[in-house]
Amino acid sequence: YSHLERGTARDAALIGAGQRIAHFGIAAYRCASTYATSLADVNGAPVLQETLEEEGGMDDRLVRLAMAGGLTAASPARVLSH
């Protein structure tokens, strides 16, 4: 993203990249948490669920950052993570 000028477009690109990473993590940890719960893994399931919540928190922070910067197009991505 270094080729983009500073400003709204660059901010949107960086926040969007962060959201894609967060969404990938959310999907991976949701799947792993579901598997652990299905397998009655009493040690792993809570840890995976906690990590899933942390990933969701990152997405929430990115949405708030985007909205604070006037990048309202980033807010619908919130729907994808839940």
Side-chain angles (χ1 to χ4, degrees), residues 1-56:
Y1 298 105
S2 62
H3 64 282
L4 294 174
E5 291 184 32
R6 292 183 187 265
T8 304
R10 183 175 183 177
D11 292 348
L14 291 171
I15 291 169
Q19 285 181 305
R20 284 190 300 280
I21 292 167
H23 293 173
F24 179 80
I26 289 166
Y29 284 111
R30 182 173 288 141
C31 184
S33 177
T34 300
Y35 288 154
T37 300
S38 296
L39 296 170
D41 182 349
V42 296
N43 295 317
V47 173
L48 291 165
Q49 182 60 38
E50 181 180 337
T51 305
L52 174 60
E53 291 169 9
E54 290 171 5
E55 289 289 327

Side-chain angles (χ1 to χ4, degrees), residues 53-76:
E53 291 169 9
E54 290 171 5
E55 289 289 327
M58 175 57 71
D59 184 53
D60 290 341
R61 287 188 293 279
L62 288 167
V63 168
R64 285 194 306 273
L65 178 64
M67 292 176 75
L71 303 172
T72 57
S75 59

